[in-house]
Amino acid sequence: MIVMPILAAGMEDGTLTKWRVKPGDTVRVGDVIAEVETEKAMVEMEAVTAGVIEELLIPDGTAGVKVNTPIARMQGDAPSGSAPRPQPAAAAPSNDKVSGERAKDVPVSSIAVAVAASPAAGGGLRGRIFASPVARRMARAAKIDLHSVVGTGPGGRITKRDIESFSPGAAVADHGVSSSPTVVASGDAVQALSALGIAPGTYDLVPLDGMRKAIARRMTESFRDVPHFPLTIHVEVDDLLQLRTQVNASLEKQGVKVSVNDMLIKAVAVALMHVPAANASYTTGGLALHHHADISFAVALESGLITPIVRSADTKSLSTIARETKELAQRARDKRLTPDQFQGGTFSVSNLGMFGISSFASILNAPQGCIMSVGAVEQRVVVKDGKPAVASMMTLTLTCDHRVVDGAIGARFLVELRELIAAPATMLV
């Protein structure tokens, strides 16, 4: 039996967008058999057992399919009469109350896609491990128990990178939700608003989609449970803008255009290598100090924000970063990001400068230890050599998880970043 898999931390249901197979098709392990839309992305679902598809139990386009619900039957499965046939959820939004219960764990062998073994999945799933052949060989050589490694590949598959970055004894950060906020149906919302003196008919009630629910849940949890504080600094960016003009002129024939945000991602990554204590995550088993700067950057969608990741930005050129951010942003807008492209960053950058916002403070993107908020480039009067002068200035606000990054570490990071922005050519060396 093939069931709706867990494709992201905290996933409760998904939309079975499209089947890639039909009854009678023979599938092998690793074959893409369906496309599933989660709260934040469209994910290709892979088969983990080989066989022949006998029947598709859930049609294309069905929304709200709960995790672990049977969606297809393969030859050799128990007859359909031995268990009740699942009822497809309506594709249209429902006004029913959403249960707060999490889906129960099921044997790994029945899940049709790789699932990361993590505390969020009920303390770790012991059983079949999904890893690439290279990762398995590396794990054997290093005597690493794959049960203790969390995969960042598609569907949670353990990759070569996961083995290289594995730190024995370090606990995995819990991406789960300790207590989900109550989700109310539209009728309950009307009653709640009426109790506050807001009369029915004076507003439009827009149902929450999966992404908005996820954002509400995670941001509430982060703001409530993580002790955080902001640090603000003002930086002059005239030299950075001048270097950007020169770089873009040299890349014009390649069709690549570097943005200010691309340069900030590079500067942040280099600064994190100089102040590694700021490139960390809190876990109950200790602080995870990351080997590379995997920079998440915010992309605004109609239904909310998502943060694709530039992996190992500290090792990449500006042109490579520019290409990747452009591609990732487009995939985000198309809802075609895979889980490994938006889960697992070590530091976030959120830029609202293009909207004319001078300064702001972001909510932490747990389990990351820091997020930096970027304001607009503005012409301001500053004092140079005791005299007033005009300079292009930008305000940066670093929000820190105080369990990971204290004031001194955050300040050292910002000083390092300011020096890189003031002399931007040094970050290219």
Side-chain angles (χ1 to χ4, degrees):
M1 190 71 69
I2 300 175
V3 302
M4 173 62 77
I6 301 171
L7 296 169
M11 176 178 169
E12 294 181 348
D13 58 49
T15 298
L16 204 164
T17 304
K18 181 181 180 181
W19 281 107
R20 295 278 195 89
V21 294
K22 61 184 183 299
D25 285 354
T26 299
V27 297
R28 297 168 299 179
V29 174
D31 284 352
V32 175
I33 60 176
E35 295 179 8
V36 176
E37 184 176 352
T38 67
E39 293 171 334
K40 292 195 172 184
M42 191 75 70
V43 182
E44 291 183 335
M45 176 179 165
E46 298 179 359
V48 296
T49 56
V52 177
I53 301 296
E54 187 172 276
E55 183 182 5
L56 304 180
L57 303 176
I58 301 292
D60 288 355
T62 302
V65 182
K66 296 293 184 182
V67 165
N68 299 332
T69 297
I71 59 176
R73 189 167 62 246
M74 300 181 73
Q75 284 185 6
D77 288 337
S80 58
S82 64
R85 183 184 177 98
Q87 296 300 315
S94 171
N95 288 336
D96 293 339
K97 291 185 179 179
V98 179
S99 169
E101 292 184 358
R102 295 286 178 187
K104 300 295 189 295
D105 290 339
V106 297
V108 176
S109 60
S110 70
I111 298 178
V113 66
V115 179
S118 70
L125 298 174
R126 304 292 293 190
R128 182 173 180 182
I129 296 296
F130 299 93
S132 69
V134 173
R136 288 184 181 277
R137 288 197 297 270
M138 291 176 63
R140 282 195 298 269
K143 297 182 179 180
I144 294 174
D145 181 4
L146 288 175
H147 285 97
S148 61
V149 181
V150 174
T152 61
R157 183 179 294 273
I158 297 171
T159 66
K160 174 184 175 182
R161 175 187 175 82
D162 298 322
I163 301 299
E164 291 175 337
S165 62
F166 177 71
S167 178
V172 179
D174 187 355
H175 290 267
V177 180
S178 55
S179 58
S180 298
T182 301
V183 181
V184 297
S186 59
D188 295 332
V190 171
Q191 292 180 8
L193 290 168
S194 296
L196 296 173
I198 302 175
T202 63
Y203 56 87
D204 292 324
L205 188 63
V206 179
L208 299 174
D209 61 12
M211 177 177 281
R212 182 57 64 185
K213 289 178 184 177
I215 291 172
R217 183 176 67 237
R218 292 201 52 175
M219 293 300 97
T220 297
E221 182 186 41
S222 177
F223 197 80
R224 180 191 64 215
D225 297 340
V226 178
H228 56 279
F229 67 95
L231 296 172
T232 299
I233 195 169
H234 306 288
V235 296
E236 184 176 333
V237 295
D238 283 304
D239 289 343
L240 184 79
L241 297 176
Q242 183 177 358
L243 178 62
R244 174 177 175 253
T245 300
Q246 295 170 353
V247 169
N248 281 336
S250 67
L251 295 174
E252 186 174 3
K253 292 182 180 179
Q254 301 178 33
V256 179
K257 188 173 183 179
V258 174
S259 69
V260 171
N261 207 55
D262 296 330
M263 300 189 76
L264 288 175
I265 287 174
K266 178 64 176 180
V268 164
V270 174
L272 288 174
M273 294 299 98
H274 294 171
V275 188
N279 192 35
S281 299
Y282 174 84
T283 81
T284 55
L287 300 183
L289 301 177
H290 305 292
H291 297 163
H292 289 285
D294 297 334
I295 308 299
S296 304
F297 64 100
V299 175
L301 308 177
E302 288 186 6
S303 53
L305 289 176
I306 191 168
T307 50
I309 302 166
V310 178
R311 300 282 181 184
S312 299
D314 52 294
T315 68
K316 293 177 177 175
S317 65
L318 280 175
S319 59
T320 299
I321 291 173
R323 290 188 185 97
E324 287 193 16
T325 56
K326 182 179 180 180
E327 179 185 352
L328 288 167
Q330 189 57 55
R331 288 180 67 88
R333 296 185 188 100
D334 295 339
K335 298 200 75 174
R336 289 285 174 180
L337 288 174
T338 57
D340 61 303
Q341 291 176 323
F342 65 88
Q343 293 179 350
T346 67
F347 187 106
S348 286
V349 173
S350 181
N351 190 340
L352 290 179
M354 67 286 294
F355 297 106
I357 303 300
S358 296
S359 65
F360 66 105
S362 300
I363 298 175
L364 283 164
N365 187 13
Q368 298 173 15
C370 296
I371 182 170
M372 190 177 74
S373 308
V374 181
V377 176
E378 299 174 330
Q379 293 288 300
R380 302 178 192 168
V381 177
V382 298
V383 177
K384 291 185 177 182
D385 299 325
K387 298 178 180 179
V390 176
S392 299
M393 302 294 293
M394 174 186 288
T395 299
L396 305 175
T397 300
L398 185 72
T399 302
C400 307
D401 179 347
H402 213 323
R403 300 170 302 177
V404 184
V405 177
D406 58 28
I409 294 173
R412 287 205 303 273
F413 168 78
L414 286 176
V415 168
E416 187 70 34
L417 182 62
R418 180 170 58 187
E419 291 178 355
L420 286 167
I421 292 174
T426 58
M427 68 180 173
L428 304 180
V429 177

